[in-house]
Amino acid sequence: MSKQARAGNRPQSWTQSASLLVDVAMGRSHADIVVRNGRLVSVYSGEIIAGIDIAIVAGRFAFVGHGATHCIGPKTKVVDAGGRYLIPGLCDAHMHVESGMVTVTEFTRAVIPHGTTSMFIDPHEIANVLGLEGVRLMHDEALAMPINVHVQMPSCVPSAPGLEHAGAAITPADVAEAMTWPNIIGLGEVMNFPGVANNDATMRGGIDATVKSGKTVGGHFASPELGRAFHGYVAGGPEDDHEGTRMEDAIARVRQGMRAMLRLGSAWYDVASQIKAVTEQGLDPRNFILCTDDSHSGTLVNEGHMDRVVRHAIAQGLKPVTAIQMATLNTAQHFRLEREIGSITPGRLADFLIVSDLANLTIDRVYARGLLVAEQGKLVIEIPAYNYPSFAKNTIKLGKKLNAKDFDIKAPKPTKHVTARVIGVIENQAPTKALEADLSVSDGIVQMDRRNDVCQIALVERHRGTGAVVNGFVSGFGYTLDCAMASTVAHDSHHMIVVGTNKEDMAKAANRLGQVGGGVVLFSKGRELALVEMPIAGLMSDQRAEIVAGKADKLVSAMRAMGCSLNNAYMQHSLLALVVIPELRISDVGIIDVRTFEKVDLFL
């Protein structure tokens, strides 16, 4: 095991290594590794070139061309590619590690065998719980990784001031400080799009500090409206957006000089509709980028990471080389890292894959910084565990033991029926629908309507121990039995969301998460059916990804047994308080109509 792989040390810069790279390319010095007889996927020219050798020294490519025998010395390791494809290591342009339910270390361990060698992470979730200190924890952990894990400084904490209260706040001064940290690559998704369009001082301060540092400003325009507010948002400085769901969304962003990020996460399937801008409308693919945004551990372990996204893009009719460009070079150029990653060309970090089937992206070997890190789907290096300090744990503060009456919803007046607003879940998409339902009233308490798939949702305040509970209604999960699921992963302010058909189970689920320090749990008729503990900020487990995935699989099975057939229902559950994506949400303030960014009454 190399010290470099264990410690996550980066190679010297291109400038520092240039003399050695030149000497190896000229044959005056010998390479550490030479890979022979490969078919190079050139992301610059769009070609596949047979008979290519690559020579690597000090973690960087020194020679890429026909015949590298002059680079081989007695200590050079020679690898025969056997005519297989050589492609750059894959990049995930926008993602939240916390959505994987694991730490940066365990996320890295899970994705390396899938060919991911660069990630651009936005630790927005831990920032909402622990503030700048939480961001620094993940920043420092990322630096210790054997692949490139760049950090975007969270921009909107809380994401919608006045409509929610998070556990912490990020100020323009915090953003300016973070821009001096060694591993900050830019500003995370700017979700407060009304704030940008209205020149909010906090939004302007964070964006301006990022631009002054010469770094990238991430975007998030989660509205189907492409009128003045959209144009004002673009004029405010965000450089990319992953919130598009339609072909016209991708086209509008690229025409305005933004990068359109097309995401395929655990629950978001937004590539197929938007990629038509390239495959059908013929737009230049250089400004289209692939990403995941949110992938839970089950997806990582059982389906893959960026390799899954690339395969999906190819299946939608995209040429394999173009799909690979969108997951490598396009990402590198966007983040101003073209001289470091994104291609197999001289001087760049030696991050590459040996692939036996290009269309299916069958990855045989993964190299990062010139070191073999995975082979045949298995990690072959050691990545030491990263220990989080005590202040990052024990963050669940309920203030009291909850009981069933905390989830009673009183009718606004004496009546037998009311019309209530209902949050409508949309399968495989982040937005919700603003629905209405006629519900019965018994003894002054509004009743759920299980027959019509209307159950209760509650947001339990968990940062300050106020004991506050906000109640509402939700539809789309399909629960048919007495049950309740609670989660302290509740984007973006990460209070606790409880969804259930039985109030006793709702109380038990909420209290259980208070006992274990956070996570997600499912109860039915007083019995615990599944539990995933997440003691780190109530967001992440300290266990291996495959262990967490096993617990998550048990949770999914239990949800199905309760009648829920929704794809990736846990991910949908975790977004029900996301007050920056339309249409209807719940927060600690109340029921929020995101179309107007206003609190609204539960009853009409």
Side-chain angles (χ1 to χ4, degrees):
M1 187 75 53
S2 75
K3 182 178 179 181
Q4 182 183 39
R6 287 196 301 270
N9 295 332
R10 288 179 62 86
Q12 289 186 319
S13 70
W14 186 343
T15 302
Q16 292 169 321
S17 306
S19 295
L20 179 57
L21 296 172
V22 170
D23 284 343
V24 171
M26 294 295 293
R28 293 190 291 261
S29 294
H30 299 139
D32 296 329
I33 305 172
V34 168
V35 180
R36 307 200 63 183
N37 189 27
R39 283 193 279 180
L40 175 68
V41 175
S42 174
V43 291
Y44 275 105
S45 67
E47 302 170 280
I48 298 175
I49 310 168
I52 294 296
D53 295 352
I54 57 176
I56 299 163
V57 68
R60 295 182 179 271
F61 297 114
F63 175 90
V64 181
H66 295 287
T69 54
H70 64 289
C71 304
I72 299 173
K75 295 183 179 180
T76 302
K77 181 177 179 59
V78 178
V79 177
D80 184 7
R84 290 174 291 179
Y85 299 94
L86 306 175
I87 76 171
L90 303 178
C91 308
D92 191 343
H94 173 74
M95 53 163 288
H96 304 279
V97 164
E98 301 98 317
S99 294
M101 309 178 183
V102 294
T103 62
V104 176
T105 300
E106 297 308 323
F107 200 103
T108 298
R109 193 194 307 275
V111 302
I112 286 177
H114 294 289
T116 301
T117 59
S118 294
M119 296 188 288
F120 296 83
I121 71 171
D122 181 351
H124 177 85
E125 322 312 336
I126 200 169
N128 271 272
V129 180
L130 298 175
L132 191 63
E133 283 185 304
V135 177
R136 187 75 205 212
L137 285 174
M138 293 187 73
H139 169 278
D140 292 351
E141 184 182 11
L143 278 173
M145 296 300 100
I147 62 172
N148 316 304
V149 184
H150 298 285
V151 179
Q152 293 179 288
M153 177 61 189
S155 62
C156 301
V157 180
S159 62
L163 297 180
E164 65 176 355
H165 301 97
I170 295 292
T171 67
D174 292 332
V175 173
E177 177 187 335
M179 290 300 145
T180 67
W181 299 353
N183 198 32
I184 293 292
I185 197 67
L187 190 65
E189 54 181 313
V190 181
M191 294 175 287
N192 186 359
F193 50 92
V196 176
N198 289 297
N199 281 324
D200 174 81
T202 299
M203 293 298 95
R204 278 261 50 88
I207 292 172
D208 292 348
T210 305
V211 173
K212 288 177 183 177
S213 70
K215 297 177 180 180
T216 304
V217 178
H220 170 118
F221 188 83
S223 171
E225 302 299 326
L226 299 173
R228 287 187 183 181
F230 171 67
H231 289 274
Y233 182 77
V234 178
E239 300 173 65
D240 59 58
D241 190 18
H242 57 275
E243 288 297 335
T245 60
R246 308 166 300 178
M247 181 177 70
E248 55 263 41
D249 294 330
I251 292 173
R253 285 150 175 78
V254 170
R255 284 177 176 172
Q256 292 292 313
M258 301 179 85
R259 259 74 173 203
M261 289 187 174
L262 316 184
R263 65 182 170 189
L264 178 71
S266 290
W268 326 135
Y269 288 67
D270 300 324
V271 174
S273 57
Q274 296 187 89
I275 204 65
K276 294 177 182 178
V278 176
T279 58
E280 295 183 6
Q281 299 301 313
L283 268 64
D284 190 328
R286 287 180 297 174
N287 290 311
F288 290 79
I289 292 173
L290 298 175
C291 69
T292 65
D293 197 358
D294 297 290
S295 293
H296 67 60
S297 55
T299 301
L300 299 177
V301 172
N302 300 318
E303 300 179 44
H305 188 228
M306 284 305 297
D307 56 333
R308 170 178 176 258
V309 185
V310 172
R311 279 193 292 268
H312 177 72
I314 294 170
Q316 306 310 311
L318 205 60
K319 295 179 181 178
V321 174
T322 305
I324 291 167
Q325 288 170 325
M326 291 183 182
T328 56
L329 180 61
N330 293 8
T331 304
Q333 291 175 330
H334 177 54
F335 287 103
R336 301 163 174 81
L337 289 176
E338 185 179 355
R339 287 177 62 85
E340 285 291 290
I341 62 173
S343 67
I344 299 176
T345 48
R348 278 70 175 181
L349 290 173
D351 301 335
F352 68 101
L353 318 177
I354 298 180
V355 172
S356 53
D357 184 330
L358 193 61
N360 292 313
L361 207 66
T362 304
I363 300 171
D364 297 338
R365 287 188 168 197
V366 181
Y367 287 83
R369 304 172 185 174
L371 298 169
L372 178 66
V373 291
E375 187 168 15
Q376 302 300 329
K378 302 293 184 183
L379 194 71
V380 297
I381 62 167
E382 174 191 342
I383 307 179
Y386 189 89
N387 295 317
Y388 276 72
S390 58
F391 78 81
K393 303 177 182 179
N394 302 312
T395 63
I396 311 303
K397 302 176 179 67
L398 301 183
K400 67 178 183 180
K401 184 176 181 180
L402 296 165
N403 60 61
K405 288 190 176 296
D406 288 309
F407 301 98
D408 281 346
I409 299 177
K410 295 180 180 179
K413 60 184 179 180
T415 181
K416 292 184 178 180
H417 295 275
V418 295
T419 301
R421 288 185 168 88
V422 178
I423 301 170
V425 174
I426 304 174
E427 188 168 29
N428 293 331
Q429 289 196 3
T432 64
K433 291 181 180 179
L435 304 178
E436 298 174 9
D438 291 326
L439 302 174
S440 63
V441 177
S442 177
D443 296 327
I445 304 300
V446 183
Q447 306 298 302
M448 294 175 253
D449 185 0
R450 194 183 300 178
R451 288 185 178 181
N452 291 305
D453 191 21
V454 177
C455 59
Q456 275 195 215
I457 179 172
L459 186 140
V460 180
E461 200 282 328
R462 69 99 157 176
H463 295 304
R464 297 172 179 83
T466 65
V469 178
V470 175
N471 288 298
F473 297 99
V474 65
S475 177
F477 287 101
Y479 292 124
T480 58
L481 301 176
D482 286 351
C483 65
M485 189 169 86
S487 172
T488 53
V489 178
H491 304 270
D492 272 326
S493 57
H494 297 289
H495 289 287
M496 182 190 296
I497 292 178
V498 189
V499 172
T501 59
N502 178 279
K503 296 174 188 177
E504 294 285 351
D505 286 331
M506 293 176 76
K508 287 183 179 296
N511 291 327
R512 179 64 168 143
L513 291 187
Q515 292 172 351
V516 301
V520 56
V521 67
L522 181 65
F523 270 78
S524 177
K525 298 179 180 179
R527 188 167 63 92
E528 181 179 302
L529 301 184
L531 171 67
V532 184
E533 305 95 327
M534 301 184 208
I536 300 172
L539 302 172
M540 296 178 286
S541 170
D542 51 8
Q543 295 181 308
R544 291 284 179 93
E546 54 269 27
I547 295 174
V548 177
K551 293 182 178 182
D553 287 345
K554 185 177 180 181
L555 175 70
V556 171
S557 297
M559 293 176 75
R560 286 176 180 159
M562 296 297 103
C564 179
S565 60
L566 192 69
N567 182 49
N568 280 300
Y570 162 72
M571 194 68 77
Q572 299 282 10
H573 179 112
S574 71
L575 290 186
L576 292 171
L578 186 52
V579 294
V580 291
I581 296 182
E583 293 178 345
L584 199 63
R585 304 283 171 174
I586 190 170
S587 84
D588 62 308
V589 171
I591 303 301
I592 307 298
D593 189 330
V594 187
R595 296 168 297 184
T596 59
F597 275 85
E598 293 177 333
K599 176 186 174 183
V600 294
D601 290 334
L602 176 59
F603 301 108
L604 294 166

